[in-house]
Each structure stands twice: as C-alpha cells, then as structure tokens.
Amino acid sequence: MGHPYTIREIARQAGLSTATVDRVLNGRGGVRESTVREVHEAIKDLDRQRGQIRIGGRTFMIDIVMQAPERFSSAVRDALEAELPSLHPAVVRSRFHFRETCPPAELIGTLDKIAKRGSQGVLLKAPDVPEIGAAVGRLASAGIPVVTLVTDLPHSARMAYVGIDNRAAGATAAYLIGQWLGDRPGHVLTTISRGSFRGEEEREMGFRSAMRLTQPNRSLVEVTDSDGLDATQRELALAALERDQDIVAVYSMGGGNLATLDAFDALGRECAVFIAHDLDHDNTRLLRERRLSAVLHHDLRQDMRRACQTVMRAHQALPGDGPLLPSAIQVVTPCNMPPGDPGPDHGVV
C-alpha cells in the first residue's frame, strides 16, 4: 500500500513493534486481523495529521459576496464566524460585500475589484446572468477559486456549489402541500425573490413538476421580484390574494413570509398550509406560533465550513475529498424544532 511514512513512524503511531508493522505492510502473514486493522488505522491517522500540518500557520483571506436580504447576510456572517474554530490550525480571515438589492453591474464591479486586488477565494450568492458568469471567469483566470453558495452558477468557471438540491426541495414542498390539503380545493401562491436566482428557479421547477404529477387540478399563482424584502413582498402578496379568492396555501421560495401572512390577515383570509425555507429568526417564531406548517431547513454552519474547506483544497492545503454532495434537507415542523432560539447553525434564507 502506497504511503509516505517510514515503518518506524507507523509503528509509533500504532503502538506496535517495527517488525509487526513490517510483516503487515509486506503481507507476510502470521499477524492477527485486528493488528492488521490497527496498522491501517495508524496510516489513516498519519494522513489526517499530515493534512493538519500542511494548513498549520496558513492564513486564507476569503471574500463573501452576496445579494440577499439582511437577515440572510447576517446569518451567513454568524455561521462563518461560528465555524472558524473548526478550521484550525488554518486561520481564515473574511471580507464581506453584502447588498440587499443591486444591479448586476454593481456586483460585477465588486468581483472585478477582488480579482485585481487578490484573494484566496470567493464565496458567492448572485443571480445567474451571463455578465456575472463572465466575472467569475475573470476571477478563475486570476487564480481565485469561486464557490457558489445556496444558489448556483453552473455554466460559470466556479469551482463548486455548496447548498441543497433545490429541485428536490421544491418537490418536497409539493408533497407536503398535497398531504396537508388532501381533497380540499384551492390554489397555491408561490413566492420568489427574483427569477434570476437559479436556486429559487430550480425550487420552482421541482415544485411545478411534482404538482403537475400529483395535484394537476390546483392552479399556481406566482409572485416574484420582491428581493425577499418585506415591504415589497406584502404589496405583491396582497395584490395576488385580491385577484384570486381561491388561494389557500403558500410555498415561499424567497422569504418575506411575515409580510405574506400579513397580507392574508389584512384580507381576513385563511392560509391552510404554508411551506417556507430555513430557520431564520422570523421563520422560527412563525413556526412556534404554528403560522407556518413546515420549514425546509439546512445547516448553514456546515455549508460555510464545507465552502471554506473547498477553498483550502483549491490551494492544496487539504487533500481531495471527491465531489461535494448536496446538503441534507430537513423538514422542520412545530413538533421537531431545534431547542432554544435560532442560532447561526440553524440555516437561513
């Protein structure tokens, strides 16, 4: 078996004699199976420790560029800062570039400044438009790895995407709404912060596809371009409810859920089922009050840790770990909420 360690190093790690380790490595037999396992485990331990030595004392400056409501940006900052101890012995420094709403040119200007100034990596949440994809290409050409977070830019030169399978999340929302509404008639309001965010677009595609198969008689009424901001979301939801008296359920892909519920209240209307995304402060309170039926949640702290580790791998400071799998989707109801107030490990959007 290939490895860079001397027999003496492996023996010291395993607490065995050099003669025993030599017999195991050269397959000469006469060694108990449990001892063979101890030698293999010692080599794995040395591999892990070698990785720690590689990143010891190194500092990584990472830029986080996001277009998102302030509640999400703050949660990202909290999640990253909570995970910094887990990244030791490497030191991660971060620069934050947050916008609630802005034209693509403003984000592109930020990305181009980073490319000129330099960075060890960029974590990016941005609309999937060609101009931003081109800016990601310029970062890659400058040797700066880009990891997309929550919403992807799959046709760009980004290194990896970290987040949930958004199509699967949309299909899950359709399943839950079908189970709760049963035979009750009525339409479903779908809310999207902005159609250019691929993550929300994929949630919507997964939701529509599943609804066509399982609940073809229900109409979907779309509200979009609120940027997830409460004031805009309330007006859009209010207008949709006034136009359609048969809306009885909501699937919120882009936030602003308190504003949507305010619109129902203003018209004296019942929302029988409300599926939202992520345990931010508002959603946690609404779920405890049973105004939300369920929240599709993911562990944002884990996502931030994985994103930082991906940047480190780009600089060969950590060994390769294979392709990144989507983050797990958790269905959280009032009956299985995490204890206590929402913290940075409870995810968002």
Side-chain angles (χ1 to χ4, degrees), residues 266-288:
L267 297 176
R269 297 267 293 277
E270 177 198 10
C271 182
V273 182
F274 197 128
I275 308 298
H277 275 269
D278 306 305
L279 285 177
D280 61 20
H281 180 76
D282 285 349
N283 285 347
T284 298
R285 179 169 63 83
L286 293 171
L287 197 58
R288 290 190 189 281

Side-chain angles (χ1 to χ4, degrees), residues 11 70 76 82-83 140 152-153 159 249 263 306:
E70 188 274 336
V76 166
E83 280 303 304
D152 198 10
L153 304 172
M159 181 179 182
R306 294 169 73 204

Side-chain angles (χ1 to χ4, degrees), residues 165-334:
D165 180 335
N166 284 296
R167 282 180 182 258
T172 300
Y175 172 81
L176 293 172
I177 285 176
Q179 292 296 302
W180 269 313
L181 285 182
D183 295 330
R184 175 175 176 168
H187 303 160
V188 180
L189 180 68
T190 63
T191 70
I192 300 172
S193 70
R194 191 155 292 275
S196 54
F197 284 104
R198 178 170 286 268
E200 293 182 29
E201 179 187 37
E202 290 179 343
R203 290 174 188 178
E204 193 264 349
M205 291 169 65
F207 184 73
R208 282 187 181 274
S209 178
M211 291 292 287
R212 279 197 301 269
L213 289 174
T214 60
Q215 304 168 69
N217 296 325
R218 293 195 191 281
S219 295
L220 305 184
V221 181
E222 182 178 296
V223 163
T224 189
D225 293 343
S226 70
D227 290 311
L229 303 179
D230 286 340
T232 309
Q233 178 63 30
R234 187 182 187 280
E235 294 306 312
L236 291 171
L238 196 60
L241 290 170
E242 288 173 338
R243 289 193 304 269
D244 192 324
Q245 300 297 314
D246 294 322
I247 293 173
V248 297
V250 175
Y251 173 37
S252 169
M253 293 160 257
N257 303 320
L258 182 58
T260 300
L261 286 166
D262 282 347
F264 274 90
D265 292 344
L267 297 176
R269 297 267 293 277
E270 177 198 10
C271 182
V273 182
F274 197 128
I275 308 298
H277 275 269
D278 306 305
L279 285 177
D280 61 20
H281 180 76
D282 285 349
N283 285 347
T284 298
R285 179 169 63 83
L286 293 171
L287 197 58
R288 290 190 189 281
E289 294 171 356
R290 296 179 180 259
R291 301 196 72 195
L292 297 182
S293 307
V295 170
L296 303 180
H297 163 69
H298 65 285
D299 187 337
L300 185 59
R301 276 181 58 169
Q302 181 185 69
D303 284 354
M304 298 308 293
R305 181 171 65 252
R306 294 169 73 204
C308 291
Q309 289 171 339
T310 300
V311 169
M312 292 178 189
R313 289 189 182 96
H315 293 282
Q316 299 183 331
L318 288 176
D321 197 32
L324 282 175
L325 297 176
S327 304
I329 302 170
Q330 304 169 33
V331 178
V332 182
T333 72

Side-chain angles (χ1 to χ4, degrees), residues 1 10 16-40 43:
M1 55 187 301
I10 299 169
L16 300 169
S17 71
T18 55
T20 299
V21 172
D22 182 69
R23 294 184 70 85
V24 171
L25 295 180
N26 291 288
R28 284 199 284 269
V31 182
R32 289 192 300 270
E33 184 61 34
S34 61
T35 302
V36 173
R37 286 197 298 271
E38 288 177 22
V39 171
H40 290 306
I43 293 172

Side-chain angles (χ1 to χ4, degrees), residues 113-127:
K113 285 180 183 176
I114 293 169
K116 184 177 180 180
R117 180 185 60 208
S119 177
Q120 272 71 56
V122 172
L123 310 186
L124 178 63
K125 180 183 184 293

